[in-house]
Amino acid sequence: MKPRDHYLRLLHDHVSNPKMIAHCLASEAVMKALTRRFGENEEAWGMAGLLHDIDVEKTGGDSLRHGPEGAAMLQDEGLPADVLDAIRLHNEKAVREKRSTLFQHALAAGETVTGLIFAVALVYPDKKISSVKTKSVTKRMKEKLFAASVNRDAILECEQIGIPLNEFAALALEALSPIEEELGF
Ligand SMILES: [Fe+2]
Protein backbone atom coordinates (compact mmCIF):
# COMPACT_ATOMS: atom_id res chain seq x y z
CA MET A 1 0.00 0.00 0.00
CA LYS A 2 1.02 3.59 -0.57
CA PRO A 3 0.87 6.29 2.13
CA ARG A 4 -2.56 7.62 3.13
CA ASP A 5 -1.69 11.03 1.64
CA HIS A 6 -1.45 9.46 -1.78
CA TYR A 7 -4.90 7.90 -1.52
CA LEU A 8 -6.43 11.05 -0.07
CA ARG A 9 -5.07 13.05 -3.02
CA LEU A 10 -6.47 10.45 -5.39
CA LEU A 11 -9.87 10.76 -3.73
CA HIS A 12 -9.78 14.55 -4.13
CA ASP A 13 -8.77 14.12 -7.79
CA HIS A 14 -12.03 12.26 -8.44
CA VAL A 15 -14.49 13.62 -5.88
CA SER A 16 -15.17 17.34 -5.54
CA ASN A 17 -18.35 17.39 -3.43
CA PRO A 18 -17.29 18.29 0.14
CA LYS A 19 -20.21 16.31 1.60
CA MET A 20 -19.02 13.25 -0.25
CA ILE A 21 -15.46 13.79 1.02
CA ALA A 22 -16.85 14.05 4.55
CA HIS A 23 -18.73 10.78 4.02
CA CYS A 24 -15.50 9.10 2.87
CA LEU A 25 -13.51 10.41 5.85
CA ALA A 26 -16.28 9.27 8.19
CA SER A 27 -16.33 5.83 6.61
CA GLU A 28 -12.57 5.60 7.08
CA ALA A 29 -12.90 6.42 10.78
CA VAL A 30 -15.65 3.85 11.34
CA MET A 31 -13.71 1.16 9.49
CA LYS A 32 -10.62 1.85 11.58
CA ALA A 33 -12.68 1.61 14.75
CA LEU A 34 -14.00 -1.74 13.56
CA THR A 35 -10.48 -3.11 13.08
CA ARG A 36 -9.82 -2.46 16.74
CA ARG A 37 -12.73 -4.70 17.60
CA PHE A 38 -11.79 -7.47 15.21
CA GLY A 39 -7.99 -7.22 15.25
CA GLU A 40 -7.99 -6.61 11.51
CA ASN A 41 -5.64 -4.50 9.37
CA GLU A 42 -6.33 -0.88 10.29
CA GLU A 43 -4.60 0.60 7.26
CA ALA A 44 -6.38 -1.64 4.74
CA TRP A 45 -9.84 -1.28 6.28
CA GLY A 46 -9.33 2.47 6.64
CA MET A 47 -8.44 2.81 2.96
CA ALA A 48 -11.49 0.79 1.93
CA GLY A 49 -13.62 3.26 3.88
CA LEU A 50 -11.81 6.29 2.48
CA LEU A 51 -11.89 5.15 -1.15
CA HIS A 52 -15.09 3.10 -1.51
CA ASP A 53 -16.99 5.92 -3.28
CA ILE A 54 -14.13 7.18 -5.46
CA ASP A 55 -16.21 6.51 -8.59
CA VAL A 56 -19.30 8.35 -7.34
CA GLU A 57 -18.90 11.39 -9.59
CA LYS A 58 -17.53 9.41 -12.52
CA THR A 59 -20.51 7.05 -12.48
CA GLY A 60 -22.91 9.91 -11.82
CA GLY A 61 -25.06 7.89 -9.46
CA ASP A 62 -25.48 4.96 -11.87
CA SER A 63 -26.05 2.16 -9.38
CA LEU A 64 -25.27 -0.47 -12.00
CA ARG A 65 -21.71 0.85 -12.35
CA HIS A 66 -20.96 2.23 -8.88
CA GLY A 67 -18.54 0.02 -6.96
CA PRO A 68 -16.98 -2.13 -9.68
CA GLU A 69 -15.90 1.02 -11.51
CA GLY A 70 -14.24 2.32 -8.34
CA ALA A 71 -12.40 -0.95 -7.84
CA ALA A 72 -11.22 -0.76 -11.47
CA MET A 73 -10.01 2.84 -10.96
CA LEU A 74 -7.97 1.67 -7.97
CA GLN A 75 -6.60 -1.49 -9.51
CA ASP A 76 -3.04 -0.25 -10.03
CA GLU A 77 -2.78 1.71 -6.79
CA GLY A 78 -1.07 -0.90 -4.66
CA LEU A 79 -4.14 -1.88 -2.65
CA PRO A 80 -4.63 -5.44 -1.38
CA ALA A 81 -7.16 -7.58 -3.28
CA ASP A 82 -9.55 -7.74 -0.32
CA VAL A 83 -9.77 -3.94 -0.25
CA LEU A 84 -10.69 -3.87 -3.94
CA ASP A 85 -13.22 -6.66 -3.41
CA ALA A 86 -14.87 -4.90 -0.48
CA ILE A 87 -15.13 -1.72 -2.59
CA ARG A 88 -16.52 -3.61 -5.59
CA LEU A 89 -19.10 -5.39 -3.44
CA HIS A 90 -20.22 -2.50 -1.26
CA ASN A 91 -22.95 -1.91 -3.85
CA GLU A 92 -24.54 -5.29 -4.51
CA LYS A 93 -26.79 -3.82 -7.21
CA ALA A 94 -23.80 -3.61 -9.53
CA VAL A 95 -22.51 -7.14 -9.06
CA ARG A 96 -23.81 -10.69 -9.32
CA GLU A 97 -22.10 -11.71 -6.11
CA LYS A 98 -23.26 -11.35 -2.51
CA ARG A 99 -21.08 -9.97 0.24
CA SER A 100 -19.63 -12.81 2.26
CA THR A 101 -16.56 -11.78 4.24
CA LEU A 102 -16.22 -9.90 7.51
CA PHE A 103 -14.48 -7.07 5.64
CA GLN A 104 -17.22 -6.83 2.98
CA HIS A 105 -20.05 -6.72 5.50
CA ALA A 106 -18.10 -4.27 7.66
CA LEU A 107 -17.64 -1.83 4.78
CA ALA A 108 -21.29 -2.00 3.72
CA ALA A 109 -22.57 -1.51 7.25
CA GLY A 110 -19.85 0.95 8.28
CA GLU A 111 -20.13 3.33 5.36
CA THR A 112 -23.92 3.29 5.52
CA VAL A 113 -24.26 4.00 9.23
CA THR A 114 -22.32 7.25 8.71
CA GLY A 115 -25.20 8.53 6.57
CA LEU A 116 -27.75 7.82 9.27
CA ILE A 117 -25.58 9.43 11.94
CA PHE A 118 -25.04 12.57 9.83
CA ALA A 119 -28.81 12.84 9.34
CA VAL A 120 -29.55 12.33 13.04
CA ALA A 121 -26.95 14.95 14.04
CA LEU A 122 -28.54 17.49 11.69
CA VAL A 123 -31.87 17.28 13.52
CA TYR A 124 -30.24 17.79 16.92
CA PRO A 125 -30.52 21.38 18.21
CA ASP A 126 -26.76 21.94 18.08
CA LYS A 127 -26.29 19.78 14.96
CA LYS A 128 -23.26 18.07 16.53
CA ILE A 129 -22.37 14.41 16.13
CA SER A 130 -20.87 14.47 19.63
CA SER A 131 -24.34 15.28 21.02
CA VAL A 132 -26.04 12.34 19.35
CA LYS A 133 -27.18 9.55 21.65
CA THR A 134 -26.96 5.94 20.57
CA LYS A 135 -30.64 5.60 21.24
CA SER A 136 -31.53 8.35 18.75
CA VAL A 137 -29.70 6.40 16.06
CA THR A 138 -31.44 3.10 16.82
CA LYS A 139 -34.81 4.88 17.02
CA ARG A 140 -34.33 6.58 13.66
CA MET A 141 -33.27 3.25 12.19
CA LYS A 142 -36.89 2.10 12.51
CA GLU A 143 -38.36 5.27 10.97
CA LYS A 144 -38.30 4.40 7.32
CA LEU A 145 -39.17 7.91 6.19
CA PHE A 146 -36.34 9.51 8.13
CA ALA A 147 -33.27 9.76 5.88
CA ALA A 148 -35.14 7.41 3.57
CA SER A 149 -32.22 6.97 1.19
CA VAL A 150 -30.10 5.35 3.91
CA ASN A 151 -30.23 1.59 3.37
CA ARG A 152 -31.23 0.04 6.70
CA ASP A 153 -30.52 -3.48 5.48
CA ALA A 154 -26.90 -2.57 4.81
CA ILE A 155 -26.53 -1.13 8.32
CA LEU A 156 -28.04 -4.29 9.77
CA GLU A 157 -25.23 -6.30 8.24
CA CYS A 158 -23.43 -5.37 11.47
CA GLU A 159 -25.39 -8.23 13.02
CA GLN A 160 -23.95 -10.62 10.45
CA ILE A 161 -20.51 -9.76 11.79
CA GLY A 162 -21.64 -10.22 15.36
CA ILE A 163 -22.20 -6.63 16.45
CA PRO A 164 -25.68 -5.79 17.74
CA LEU A 165 -27.11 -2.59 16.25
CA ASN A 166 -26.90 -0.54 19.45
CA GLU A 167 -23.23 -1.44 19.92
CA PHE A 168 -22.55 -0.72 16.27
CA ALA A 169 -24.17 2.71 16.51
CA ALA A 170 -22.20 3.46 19.70
CA LEU A 171 -18.93 2.40 18.06
CA ALA A 172 -19.61 4.61 15.04
CA LEU A 173 -20.56 7.61 17.19
CA GLU A 174 -17.38 7.17 19.18
CA ALA A 175 -15.35 7.07 15.96
CA LEU A 176 -16.98 10.14 14.43
CA SER A 177 -17.33 12.50 17.40
CA PRO A 178 -13.60 13.34 17.69
CA ILE A 179 -13.38 14.29 13.99
CA GLU A 180 -16.74 16.03 13.62
CA GLU A 181 -15.20 19.42 12.79
CA GLU A 182 -13.19 17.89 9.98
CA LEU A 183 -16.48 16.39 8.79
CA GLY A 184 -18.12 19.83 8.74
CA PHE A 185 -20.21 19.52 11.93
FE1 LIG B 1 -20.46 5.40 0.60
Side-chain angles (χ1 to χ4, degrees):
M1 286 179 68
K2 297 178 186 175
R4 179 180 183 272
D5 270 4
H6 170 81
Y7 294 115
L8 188 59
R9 228 176 297 125
L10 198 63
L11 179 69
H12 281 283
D13 285 345
H14 293 282
V15 178
S16 58
N17 180 347
K19 285 193 176 141
M20 211 54 223
I21 296 288
H23 164 68
C24 293
L25 291 169
S27 301
E28 177 189 27
V30 171
M31 288 302 281
K32 284 174 133 185
L34 284 166
T35 63
R36 280 168 230 135
R37 181 169 176 126
F38 291 118
E40 291 287 338
N41 185 326
E42 183 169 332
E43 207 189 344
W45 283 39
M47 283 313 116
L50 186 72
L51 298 169
H52 75 282
D53 278 339
I54 194 162
D55 66 1
V56 70
E57 291 177 3
K58 193 174 175 206
T59 58
D62 180 350
S63 65
L64 297 178
R65 285 166 59 207
H66 174 56
E69 187 129 346
M73 288 162 74
L74 294 165
Q75 199 156 21
D76 300 319
E77 291 295 342
L79 294 159
D82 60 352
V83 172
L84 298 178
D85 276 338
I87 291 173
R88 188 169 56 83
L89 285 162
H90 90 273
N91 172 30
E92 277 186 342
K93 282 193 201 122
V95 290
R96 281 160 189 259
E97 255 168 278
K98 293 273 173 215
R99 290 186 279 274
S100 60
T101 67
L102 178 69
F103 192 177
Q104 290 161 12
H105 288 305
L107 180 59
E111 70 105 351
T112 310
V113 79
T114 68
L116 185 62
I117 288 175
F118 281 19
V120 174
L122 290 173
V123 297
Y124 262 58
D126 65 0
K127 297 186 169 30
K128 288 285 176 196
I129 293 174
S130 51
S131 302
V132 174
K133 300 268 179 291
T134 302
K135 216 164 169 210
S136 307
V137 180
T138 54
K139 188 175 138 247
R140 295 294 193 177
M141 218 15 220
K142 293 180 213 131
E143 293 172 21
K144 296 273 140 68
L145 292 178
F146 179 84
S149 65
V150 174
N151 181 346
R152 270 51 171 188
D153 291 335
I155 296 177
L156 282 174
E157 287 185 38
C158 65
E159 294 178 345
Q160 291 183 45
I161 54 173
I163 311 182
L165 178 63
N166 62 328
E167 270 180 48
F168 189 63
L171 177 149
L173 284 170
E174 207 176 298
L176 298 181
S177 295
I179 59 161
E180 63 182 342
E181 273 170 34
E182 195 185 347
L183 301 177
F185 285 85

